[in-house]
Amino acid sequence: MKVCALIVAAGRGSRAAAPGSSGPKQYAGLGGKALLAWTVKAFASHPRIDLVQVVIHPDDRELYNHAVGPSVGKLARPVFGGASRQSSVLAGLEAVAAAHCEQVLIHDAARPFIGADVIDRVLAGLSDGTGAIAAIKVADTLKRALGDQVGDDFACVKETVPRDGLWRAQTPQGFSVGPILAAHRKAAQSATGEFTDDASIAEWAGLRVRLVEGSIRNDKITTAEDLVLARNSIRGAIMEPRVGSGFDVHKFGPGESVWLCGVEIAHDKALIGHSDADVGLHALTDAVLGALGDGDIGHHFPPSDPQWLGARSEIFLKHAGRLVADAGGRIGNVDVTLMCEEPKVGPHRDAMRAAIAEILEIDIGRVGVKATTTERLGFTGRGEGIAAIASALVMLPCD
């Protein structure tokens, strides 16, 4: 069965324009691209959708081309809408019928955060002769106003409206193409006023319409405040990868144990340093700081400062992890390679991974610890010390 998404983007609404700008809200910038582009992508990437048909205003072809690009893959050439949403949807339905679509999901362009789960539920609710729409049960107490706003722009309450059985309709609204097209054609020829959504036309035409669970994130962007909230939301959701690397060396001296990657290992020598000389955690701390572009371990914890004398290196790594969190980011994965002839790292590898995971508050599956020798070459090969290299992938919010 061929399923089409019909995205209605022919409106002139500009209440969501950012201060100092103008134009239809569906072309407003959102996370580095047009709001409409997010909506199109949500449907084009869904495996059950075979065709995406967008309805635009005749004056917006250049804006559309810049926002969405060429008509390729699932994306059909846009069609022009009419003077009202109802007439625009009719134009889109004629196009999807000509493309031999059997089911259609009609969706507002200004709902860019439509999730695949909501699309799935609407499709599951469809059957022959029955439509299905995304909706949310009304949770707030409803008040009916007494006439228009009066005095100082305050309206007065006439009555409280029972909310039992009430739902807020969203889109997509799904139908079999034949019945909803016939209903729209009939509505266009009738003297009935404009309908507020496609489900109301279906109800008027005698079609059954099911309610399926929508999503708060699928609410419509209408005002400039809505757009600001959407931008703040997407800024935290869209992350870009940053990679950092670190390298550290510590020499051996007298002692009975070494600290490596947060684990104390019995040995006939110790690593010498201002802190506990954990070469693995030092390299990893620098890797995380490098991904942030925020200096190195010596910048944050100067060796000249006596408070860090003998300090546990987990303090340094925890600080770097906290900086990532403060920036609204998260750590993707980390990897440490220890270069030494001794002590043997293998028996302690899982304990090291667990220690790092606990310090950074990430899953152990995101932590790698390896060891290698230098084939008796160089200072590590001569047993004079241990070196470590580390890398870190950090995901940070886009600007």
Side-chain angles (χ1 to χ4, degrees):
M1 180 172 292
K2 190 173 183 180
V3 181
C4 177
L6 175 56
I7 299 174
V8 188
R12 298 288 82 200
S14 58
R15 282 188 292 162
S21 65
S22 61
K25 61 189 174 187
Q26 58 268 33
Y27 300 105
L30 181 63
K33 54 187 176 182
L35 186 155
L36 175 60
W38 289 100
T39 310
V40 168
K41 181 180 179 181
F43 285 93
S45 62
H46 194 283
R48 293 281 306 280
I49 302 299
D50 300 300
L51 182 75
V52 177
Q53 178 67 69
V54 185
V55 184
I56 67 173
H57 191 279
D59 295 342
D60 293 346
R61 186 57 189 267
E62 187 174 342
L63 284 171
Y64 174 85
N65 290 341
H66 180 72
V68 178
S71 302
V72 295
K74 295 182 180 181
L75 184 61
R77 290 175 60 86
V79 297
F80 294 144
S84 66
R85 183 189 187 280
Q86 187 174 321
S87 59
S88 294
V89 172
L90 178 55
L93 287 172
E94 298 286 4
V96 301
H100 308 293
C101 289
E102 298 165 84
Q103 291 183 334
V104 61
L105 300 186
I106 305 170
H107 188 70
D108 297 326
R111 297 181 189 269
F113 298 138
I114 173 65
D117 56 336
V118 177
I119 295 174
D120 287 337
R121 288 194 288 272
V122 174
L123 287 172
L126 289 179
S127 62
D128 291 341
T130 300
I133 69 171
I136 297 177
K137 287 184 178 180
V138 172
D140 296 324
T141 298
L142 300 178
K143 303 291 185 181
R144 192 188 307 280
L146 181 64
D148 296 328
Q149 290 181 330
V150 294
D152 297 327
D153 293 328
F154 288 107
C156 293
V157 173
K158 178 181 180 181
E159 60 180 336
T160 298
V161 180
R163 66 190 179 202
D164 295 343
L166 294 182
W167 294 66
R168 289 197 294 118
Q170 297 184 320
T171 63
Q173 301 189 349
F175 309 91
S176 295
V177 172
I180 194 62
L181 176 56
H184 263 277
R185 285 172 175 170
K186 181 180 177 182
Q189 298 300 319
S190 75
T192 307
E194 286 292 321
F195 293 87
T196 56
D197 70 350
D198 304 291
S200 59
I201 292 180
E203 298 155 27
W204 172 78
L207 302 177
R208 292 177 62 233
V209 180
R210 289 193 178 104
L211 296 166
V212 302
E213 185 181 358
S215 169
I216 293 295
R217 279 186 57 78
N218 189 35
D219 278 347
K220 193 173 183 179
I221 294 176
T222 302
T223 67
E225 182 181 9
D226 294 337
L227 184 59
V228 170
L229 292 173
R231 286 171 173 167
N232 289 340
S233 171
I234 209 165
R235 187 174 292 120
I238 301 179
M239 314 286 273
E240 64 176 355
R242 303 282 186 88
V243 176
S245 62
F247 177 78
D248 197 39
V249 173
H250 282 282
K251 64 181 180 180
F252 281 126
E256 298 178 347
S257 65
V258 295
W259 281 93
L260 290 176
C261 294
V263 175
E264 187 176 21
I265 302 173
H267 193 49
D268 59 0
K269 300 174 185 175
L271 290 173
I272 304 303
H274 186 66
S275 61
D276 63 5
D278 190 327
V279 64
L281 293 192
H282 290 184
L284 186 52
T285 301
D286 271 351
V288 176
L289 293 173
L292 290 170
D294 195 4
D296 58 19
I297 193 171
H299 172 75
H300 290 264
F301 303 96
S304 58
D305 190 334
Q307 71 172 309
W308 307 124
L309 182 63
R312 291 285 305 278
S313 295
E314 66 178 51
I315 296 172
F316 311 148
L317 185 58
K318 188 176 288 290
H319 170 77
R322 191 158 46 246
L323 291 178
V324 173
D326 290 345
R330 59 182 175 82
I331 295 173
N333 73 289
V334 296
D335 188 42
V336 181
T337 299
L338 299 168
M339 293 175 284
C340 59
E341 297 293 332
E342 55 182 13
K344 297 298 183 183
V345 171
H348 309 282
R349 187 191 319 274
D350 288 341
M352 293 177 180
R353 295 176 63 223
I356 292 172
E358 182 177 357
I359 293 167
L360 290 176
E361 298 181 2
I362 60 177
D363 187 86
I364 192 171
R366 297 179 181 273
V367 180
V369 173
K370 306 184 299 294
T372 186
T373 70
T374 55
E375 300 295 334
R376 300 291 178 180
L377 299 174
F379 73 92
T380 58
R382 294 190 296 269
E384 297 172 0
I386 299 178
I389 56 174
S391 60
L393 173 65
V394 172
M395 305 299 294
L396 293 176
C398 291
D399 294 334

